[in-house]
Amino acid sequence: SMSGLMLQTATHPAGTDSPAVLAGHPSLHRHRERAGKEGQVLHRSKRGWVWNQFFVIEEYTGPDPVLVGRLHSDVDSGKGRCKYILSGEGAGTIFVIDDKTGNIHATKTLDREEQAQYTLTAQAVDRDTNKPLEPPSEFIVKVQDINDNPPEFLHRPYFARVPEMSNVGTSVMQVTATDADDPTYGNSARLVYSILQGQPYFSVESQTGIIRTALPNMDREARQEYDVVIQAKDMGGHMGGLSGTTEVKITLTDVNDNPPKFPQSVYTMSVLEDKVSGEEVGRVKAKDPDQGENGLVSYRLTEGDGLGVFELTTDSQTREAVIKLKKMVDYETKRTYMLRIEGSNPHVDPRFTAWGPYRDEATVKIMVEDADEPPVFVAPSYNFEVEENAPAGTQVGRVHAKDTDVANNPVRYMIPRYTDVEQFFSVNSEDGMITTTRPLDREAQAWHNISVAAAEIGHHQDTKVRVNIRVKDVNDNAPEFATNNEILMCEAITPGKVIETVSAVDKDEMAHRQHFTFSLAPEIAHNHNFSLKDNRDSTASVHVLRKGFSRLTQDVYFLPVEISDNGLPSLSSTQTLTVRVCSCDSRDTILSCNVEPYVLPAGLSTGALIAILACIVILLAIVVLFVALRRQKKEPLILFEEEDIRENIITYDDEGGGEEDTEAFDIATLQNPDGANSFLPRKDMKPELQGALRPGPGSTRGHSVDVDDFIKSRIAEADSDPTAPPYDSIQIYGYEGRDSVAGSLSSLESVTTESDLDYDYLQSWGPRFKRLADLYGTKDYPMNDTDDGEDS
């Protein structure tokens, strides 16, 4: 017998196309030694139970489980006593073993990319006693790879950039695909790259996946973006391999390979002559198809007769050359200008300098257009002179403006009123002659600064010029004293002494040759008190001729002095000097002068002030007396007012009832009510309207009836009689009754109350009762005398 495990090769069942499954390989350490005799075995070690690995092909989809291999122990005699046990990864689920024969089968399809190998442990035990017949042996079941995974590009999509005009073979980028198959077994993971789209511009290295340029001089300005498709194929690119693709977007970056170019060689522009400095004239732009700083163009003016008149700037947004006016132009002086403008790239690529030059030039012609300009004065300002007191209409001077336009329209002049508010001057609208409107006074205003505006006929634009007019002086003001102070002189002054030196001023223009002369007026030229000496220097001295001045005799002396100037003609005026005599001490210091009128303000004297104070005191006394009398007679005055209110009786325009109307009831009648119960006809009623009088309640009373009750009964009769008109007189009862809860019956209060009686029947009583009808016959008028009639 042989010691150790016998390894067998399992084949697929007959009739199947499945590939063979390799059984486990025996260990190289297994040795067999034959004995000299049959049945003799030499046991060196239990090495027949050791092996390395089994193999199983992945993705097998046959109808029967796949036989992985067979385990067999040398101690297995084939009688079924040996029991094989399998444990480890997938034992019992993926791999099952026949415990009698030791055949291992795979019950599920295996995927190498999911798990490439499984570690299992095999045991052989006695079926009855479960004692190990062989030690546990570990082996590996390795899943054999097949090409079931295509290549994949994990980082797609790809974006790449390469400069334009690059040389052929310039590396763009490298793409890499991955294959999940086993790279160590067969060609399943050996990839080959190829380009499916993007030829002939780009190529790819088959082994490395590096994309390179394939065409020279690729121009970004012609085409900037390319879509390249790269394929990776396994099995070394042979037939039957799997493949995967990816897209690569390649963008050409810009280089400065294009010089700037002006679209036109000559540009024509125009500018109005009235445009000011800084105005935009026009724009030009050189085209450069490059991008960024490669496409930047800087401009400069190179030559031309307009170099000093125009300037050049660059618009930072549009990158245009902007031509602006530097100095004002004049259509009448020069009508055309020429400029040469250059545009160049500040950044030049030295690789492409041979493609240059990277600059271009263009000519700019600028035409000056005529504008409607306002007239221009021939002088920037005018200075004129005119004598004061000259009559109205005196010519001052002439201003002149001309139209600089080709049309040479006539010009009209005017003086803006705000420059000559008082309208001292006027200007001839046609020839510009300025004249005065009234005589001028140099002493009031020596200079007149006005403006004259000139405008073309039919146009609103005007030009103003300054006109300064000086008023020349004329000797029209006589001289007068410089000061009007009084001359104070002591009483004991000595004869011949100078008491004052006077000078003069003249409102006329003071010149160096101006001179004043002084003399006393002819009427006092030979007085014996004072004399005047002309000092011939425009001053004069006043001298005293005598002594013995006294304030009590005469305290003030007046000296009329005649002052003359040396004008042509000469003017003179007479001014009065006031000399006041004062008392002085021995040192000629003035002690007192009669200056009270000058010290005290002009007004009331002391006597007048005393009289005014006395009048004020008398008025105060009268007021106090009146107040005292008012307080003493306050109560009688109030009674008097009450009598006036009570006696204010309305007078009617009809004849009364006679003396009985004003007859007052005697108190005796009131105390005898029985005698008063007898009926007395009313004399102020018409007989035909007299109703039957009802006997009053007082007729049933005895002599002891109260007067108050008697009066109340009479009032009730009057209230209940609808035919009784209001009585037209007030009856005074000499009896003060008890306190009444009804309040006062005075007519003064009834004016504010509403009466329940209807007096509309007064309208039918005739003209004698017209006044009563007017007063009581309307509902709107208050019934003043109703209570009086009831009271009576």
Side-chain angles (χ1 to χ4, degrees), residues 5-23:
L5 176 68
M6 181 180 290
L7 302 178
Q8 297 179 352
T9 300
T11 59
H12 288 280
T16 64
D17 297 330
S18 299
V21 179
L22 296 178

mmCIF file of all heavy atoms in Angstrom, residues 5-23:
data_model
loop_
_atom_site.group_PDB
_atom_site.id
_atom_site.type_symbol
_atom_site.label_atom_id
_atom_site.label_comp_id
_atom_site.label_asym_id
_atom_site.label_seq_id
_atom_site.Cartn_x
_atom_site.Cartn_y
_atom_site.Cartn_z
ATOM 1 N N LEU A 5 -1.619 10.941 0.563
ATOM 2 C CA LEU A 5 -2.820 11.263 -0.204
ATOM 3 C C LEU A 5 -2.574 10.992 -1.672
ATOM 4 O O LEU A 5 -1.532 11.334 -2.214
ATOM 5 C CB LEU A 5 -3.213 12.735 0.013
ATOM 6 C CG LEU A 5 -4.394 13.227 -0.794
ATOM 7 C CD1 LEU A 5 -5.666 12.536 -0.297
ATOM 8 C CD2 LEU A 5 -4.502 14.729 -0.676
ATOM 9 N N MET A 6 -3.580 10.453 -2.287
ATOM 10 C CA MET A 6 -3.491 10.263 -3.729
ATOM 11 C C MET A 6 -4.245 11.409 -4.381
ATOM 12 O O MET A 6 -5.414 11.652 -4.085
ATOM 13 C CB MET A 6 -4.113 8.900 -4.116
ATOM 14 C CG MET A 6 -4.036 8.621 -5.610
ATOM 15 S SD MET A 6 -4.760 7.025 -6.029
ATOM 16 C CE MET A 6 -3.551 5.900 -5.309
ATOM 17 N N LEU A 7 -3.581 12.127 -5.258
ATOM 18 C CA LEU A 7 -4.177 13.281 -5.945
ATOM 19 C C LEU A 7 -4.625 12.830 -7.313
ATOM 20 O O LEU A 7 -3.866 12.174 -8.035
ATOM 21 C CB LEU A 7 -3.169 14.424 -6.049
ATOM 22 C CG LEU A 7 -2.617 14.922 -4.697
ATOM 23 C CD1 LEU A 7 -1.596 16.001 -4.934
ATOM 24 C CD2 LEU A 7 -3.738 15.374 -3.803
ATOM 25 N N GLN A 8 -5.822 13.192 -7.634
ATOM 26 C CA GLN A 8 -6.357 12.806 -8.926
ATOM 27 C C GLN A 8 -6.770 14.045 -9.692
ATOM 28 O O GLN A 8 -7.093 15.086 -9.090
ATOM 29 C CB GLN A 8 -7.569 11.865 -8.743
ATOM 30 C CG GLN A 8 -7.217 10.552 -8.064
ATOM 31 C CD GLN A 8 -8.435 9.682 -7.900
ATOM 32 O OE1 GLN A 8 -9.550 10.118 -8.167
ATOM 33 N NE2 GLN A 8 -8.223 8.444 -7.461
ATOM 34 N N THR A 9 -6.828 13.862 -10.966
ATOM 35 C CA THR A 9 -7.278 14.951 -11.839
ATOM 36 C C THR A 9 -8.725 14.707 -12.187
ATOM 37 O O THR A 9 -9.086 13.649 -12.702
ATOM 38 C CB THR A 9 -6.441 15.022 -13.113
ATOM 39 O OG1 THR A 9 -5.080 15.243 -12.757
ATOM 40 C CG2 THR A 9 -6.936 16.115 -14.010
ATOM 41 N N ALA A 10 -9.556 15.688 -11.880
ATOM 42 C CA ALA A 10 -10.983 15.568 -12.167
ATOM 43 C C ALA A 10 -11.263 16.143 -13.526
ATOM 44 O O ALA A 10 -10.757 17.181 -13.904
ATOM 45 C CB ALA A 10 -11.796 16.284 -11.085
ATOM 46 N N THR A 11 -12.073 15.478 -14.224
ATOM 47 C CA THR A 11 -12.489 15.970 -15.533
ATOM 48 C C THR A 11 -13.972 16.219 -15.493
ATOM 49 O O THR A 11 -14.703 15.665 -14.672
ATOM 50 C CB THR A 11 -12.148 14.936 -16.624
ATOM 51 O OG1 THR A 11 -12.809 13.715 -16.311
ATOM 52 C CG2 THR A 11 -10.633 14.707 -16.686
ATOM 53 N N HIS A 12 -14.402 17.030 -16.386
ATOM 54 C CA HIS A 12 -15.830 17.313 -16.494
ATOM 55 C C HIS A 12 -16.544 16.116 -17.065
ATOM 56 O O HIS A 12 -15.956 15.301 -17.764
ATOM 57 C CB HIS A 12 -16.053 18.535 -17.378
ATOM 58 C CG HIS A 12 -15.625 19.791 -16.689
ATOM 59 N ND1 HIS A 12 -16.392 20.415 -15.763
ATOM 60 C CD2 HIS A 12 -14.491 20.522 -16.815
ATOM 61 C CE1 HIS A 12 -15.771 21.491 -15.333
ATOM 62 N NE2 HIS A 12 -14.598 21.580 -15.976
ATOM 63 N N PRO A 13 -17.769 16.040 -16.778
ATOM 64 C CA PRO A 13 -18.520 14.900 -17.303
ATOM 65 C C PRO A 13 -18.444 14.856 -18.810
ATOM 66 O O PRO A 13 -18.321 15.901 -19.471
ATOM 67 C CB PRO A 13 -19.953 15.153 -16.798
ATOM 68 C CG PRO A 13 -19.772 16.052 -15.603
ATOM 69 C CD PRO A 13 -18.573 16.858 -15.902
ATOM 70 N N ALA A 14 -18.550 13.617 -19.307
ATOM 71 C CA ALA A 14 -18.492 13.455 -20.751
ATOM 72 C C ALA A 14 -19.661 14.155 -21.394
ATOM 73 O O ALA A 14 -20.750 14.207 -20.880
ATOM 74 C CB ALA A 14 -18.470 11.948 -21.080
ATOM 75 N N GLY A 15 -19.388 14.652 -22.528
ATOM 76 C CA GLY A 15 -20.432 15.346 -23.262
ATOM 77 C C GLY A 15 -20.514 16.830 -22.974
ATOM 78 O O GLY A 15 -21.337 17.507 -23.553
ATOM 79 N N THR A 16 -19.714 17.357 -22.087
ATOM 80 C CA THR A 16 -19.743 18.793 -21.785
ATOM 81 C C THR A 16 -18.592 19.481 -22.464
ATOM 82 O O THR A 16 -17.560 18.867 -22.729
ATOM 83 C CB THR A 16 -19.655 19.026 -20.277
ATOM 84 O OG1 THR A 16 -18.391 18.548 -19.822
ATOM 85 C CG2 THR A 16 -20.776 18.303 -19.540
ATOM 86 N N ASP A 17 -18.806 20.794 -22.760
ATOM 87 C CA ASP A 17 -17.766 21.603 -23.424
ATOM 88 C C ASP A 17 -16.961 22.409 -22.436
ATOM 89 O O ASP A 17 -16.180 23.280 -22.817
ATOM 90 C CB ASP A 17 -18.403 22.545 -24.443
ATOM 91 C CG ASP A 17 -19.076 21.757 -25.545
ATOM 92 O OD1 ASP A 17 -18.585 20.645 -25.813
ATOM 93 O OD2 ASP A 17 -20.066 22.269 -26.112
ATOM 94 N N SER A 18 -17.197 22.176 -21.158
ATOM 95 C CA SER A 18 -16.480 22.991 -20.179
ATOM 96 C C SER A 18 -15.037 22.587 -20.166
ATOM 97 O O SER A 18 -14.692 21.412 -20.370
ATOM 98 C CB SER A 18 -17.098 22.789 -18.786
ATOM 99 O OG SER A 18 -18.440 23.187 -18.801
ATOM 100 N N PRO A 19 -14.201 23.596 -19.895
ATOM 101 C CA PRO A 19 -12.759 23.288 -19.829
ATOM 102 C C PRO A 19 -12.459 22.426 -18.634
ATOM 103 O O PRO A 19 -13.213 22.376 -17.674
ATOM 104 C CB PRO A 19 -12.112 24.668 -19.719
ATOM 105 C CG PRO A 19 -13.168 25.551 -19.128
ATOM 106 C CD PRO A 19 -14.464 25.015 -19.644
ATOM 107 N N ALA A 20 -11.344 21.759 -18.687
ATOM 108 C CA ALA A 20 -10.944 20.852 -17.608
ATOM 109 C C ALA A 20 -10.595 21.659 -16.387
ATOM 110 O O ALA A 20 -10.112 22.767 -16.471
ATOM 111 C CB ALA A 20 -9.742 20.003 -18.042
ATOM 112 N N VAL A 21 -10.829 21.022 -15.222
ATOM 113 C CA VAL A 21 -10.477 21.646 -13.953
ATOM 114 C C VAL A 21 -9.271 20.912 -13.429
ATOM 115 O O VAL A 21 -9.287 19.682 -13.305
ATOM 116 C CB VAL A 21 -11.659 21.570 -12.960
ATOM 117 C CG1 VAL A 21 -11.256 22.214 -11.632
ATOM 118 C CG2 VAL A 21 -12.877 22.222 -13.553
ATOM 119 N N LEU A 22 -8.261 21.717 -13.092
ATOM 120 C CA LEU A 22 -7.028 21.103 -12.626
ATOM 121 C C LEU A 22 -7.187 20.669 -11.194
ATOM 122 O O LEU A 22 -7.705 21.398 -10.369
ATOM 123 C CB LEU A 22 -5.872 22.103 -12.748
ATOM 124 C CG LEU A 22 -5.544 22.520 -14.186
ATOM 125 C CD1 LEU A 22 -4.415 23.543 -14.156
ATOM 126 C CD2 LEU A 22 -5.161 21.324 -15.027
ATOM 127 N N ALA A 23 -6.722 19.462 -10.862
ATOM 128 C CA ALA A 23 -6.744 18.983 -9.480
ATOM 129 C C ALA A 23 -5.532 19.518 -8.755
ATOM 130 O O ALA A 23 -4.641 20.098 -9.338
ATOM 131 C CB ALA A 23 -6.750 17.465 -9.448
#
